[in-house]
Each structure stands twice: as C-alpha cells, then as structure tokens.
Amino acid sequence: MPRILAALIFPAVLLFSGQALAQSQPYEVVEASKTWKVDVGGGFVRGFSATGDNSKDVNWTFWGSASYKDVVYANGLDGIGWNALKRDDFRAGVQLRPRFSAGDLEGFDNRPDLGADATFYAFKRLPGNVVVGGRVSQDVTGDDAGMTWNAQIGHQRITRVGLLQVMAYGRGGDADRLNRYFGVTADEAASSGYRQFESDGGLSALGASALLAVPIGARYGVGAFVNYEEYMGDTRNSPLLDEPHIWRAGIIGVARFNGV
C-alpha cells in the first residue's frame, strides 16, 4: 500500500540539468545562447511517481522541456514559466507548476489529485557560481491544497566528465498543504486504521542532492542523480510515512533540438 507521494517532495534539480536549471536559475552560462531549445527523453527513477505509487519503486519517467530565449519555458516539473526579470546573475518570475497526485489510500476520500500551483520564484548567483533562492507556491485549482515553499543553495561546475551540480534545500508549507498530503482526519482514522494526525504547518523536509549531466556529442546527453531527504517537524510524525527519510536516484537520457 502506498504511504506517501514521493513526487510531492521531488526537487527539480533531479532531472537533466543542462536545460531545466538554465530556465529559472542563473548559473554561469555553459553553452551558446539559442533562440529556442527542446529536450525530450526519459529514464528510470527510484523514489518518484507522479501518480502516487510506492516511493520505493523504480519507475520509467518521461522527460520533456522547451524554452524560448530562456525567457518563456516549460518542463515536466516546473510546468509553464516566465522569467519576468532576467539578468546574468539574477532571475525572478512566475510559474504554473503541476501539483502531483497524492495517490490512493484505502479509507481516504480526500487525497489531492493532479492539480496546479501558482508560483513566484527568485534566484541570485553569488561568487563561486553558488546560487541561492527559492519559490512560494499556492494551489489554484480550488482543491484546498494550500501553500508550499522551497529554499535552496546550490553550486555548479564543469568537470572532466560533465556538468556537476550539488544542492541543499529545505521545504515546508502551511497547515492546509501538509495536512492534505500527510494528515489523517478522525473519519479517515476510523475507516483506515491509521492513527489520527494533524500538522500545524512549517518546515517539512531537509535534503541534499548531486547530479552529473554528461554530453554525448552535440545533440544527446545523459544525467545521473542521487538525493537524500529527511522529513522534519510535524511531518516526521505522520503515520503515513514508512520511514523518516527517503533515498532517490536515477538515470535519464535526452536528445536536444534547437534553433539558431
């Protein structure tokens, strides 16, 4: 039986960073500017499921992203985005992000389905190609899924093998968001056997990740990542969690198409 949706806490850094991170985060430029870019591909990922499957399963995940002048963009994790303020060392903008399903649990009638969050983000590059920033998201589908936030610090550099990025982050939300995904109401406790649980909101997780993106010729690339996350605050006490932490890992290949 699935206990919690890994996709809820799956950071965008974990997919192919060559284009996805260039869209919203101002790392030093590593490729020539193009008018438009499209990446398509996929791979195997452990610990992520957009449909709420068991977080320990290994699933095939499709990846697609596109951008126009790195101002307007879209990808599977960020949804549709716009860099309203785009400078060499700073980016701020808005996104309409997918809010992933929490998955089905026997005895639960109010689990969130796939929805959408309106998001504001801002990221600043510091000396040493270190980027700090975060985002705030609010449910806009009328599903009462509340607000969530993410803060992070990351570093990126080119190695002999490929592009290496490491990141540390924290995540949280208000009581509405955390209870929709981690809470158990009195009625749900009576029908499911889980004990009743209610969160007050706040910090829900801390984590770290590393990703290596390796180019294969001019058009192809492969990315491998590993991620560790520890649940924090009220969330750590949720009866829906099998463990107070989770490991994620995967490998994804992509093909790129771009204009001048």
Side-chain angles (χ1 to χ4, degrees), residues 43-247:
F44 292 97
V45 177
R46 189 267 191 195
F48 169 76
S49 169
T51 58
D53 293 334
N54 195 309
S55 62
K56 295 182 179 180
D57 289 347
V58 175
N59 298 292
W60 168 264
T61 299
F62 170 78
W63 175 249
S65 66
S67 70
Y68 178 73
K69 295 185 176 180
D70 280 338
V71 174
V72 179
Y73 59 90
N75 64 66
L77 290 175
D78 291 329
I80 301 171
W82 171 43
N83 282 316
L85 183 57
K86 179 176 177 288
R87 298 175 180 170
D88 176 63
D89 63 350
F90 181 79
R91 294 190 182 185
V94 293
Q95 298 169 339
L96 186 64
R97 297 176 63 87
R99 194 200 70 240
F100 295 106
S101 165
D104 295 326
L105 283 176
E106 186 177 353
F108 287 71
D109 298 324
N110 198 33
R111 303 278 284 170
D113 293 323
L114 181 66
D117 285 336
T119 300
F120 169 79
Y121 63 87
F123 293 96
K124 168 68 175 177
R125 188 176 76 236
L126 304 177
N129 205 24
V130 173
V131 169
V132 298
R135 63 179 183 266
V136 177
S137 303
Q138 174 66 44
D139 170 57
V140 291
T141 56
D143 199 22
D144 298 325
M147 180 272 292
T148 183
W149 56 264
N150 179 86
Q152 64 188 60
I153 179 170
H155 171 70
Q156 181 172 285
R157 68 186 182 95
I158 297 176
T159 70
R160 293 182 179 180
V161 179
L163 188 71
L164 176 65
Q165 184 183 103
V166 294
M167 185 181 74
Y169 62 90
R171 181 187 287 91
D174 63 9
D176 288 339
R177 174 61 61 106
L178 297 186
N179 282 319
R180 289 300 305 280
Y181 284 88
F182 298 94
V184 182
T185 67
D187 290 341
E188 291 168 342
S191 59
S192 68
Y194 291 106
R195 63 178 173 83
Q196 185 175 350
F197 173 76
E198 182 176 356
S199 173
D200 293 330
L203 179 68
S204 63
L206 294 174
S209 63
L211 178 143
L212 181 65
V214 181
I216 304 175
R219 176 166 291 183
Y220 302 98
V222 62
F225 71 85
V226 63
N227 167 230
Y228 176 80
E229 187 167 281
E230 187 82 12
Y231 296 106
M232 306 296 292
D234 289 343
T235 302
R236 189 178 180 89
N237 299 317
S238 171
L240 302 183
L241 296 178
D242 288 318
E243 297 176 336
H245 57 264
I246 188 170
W247 283 97

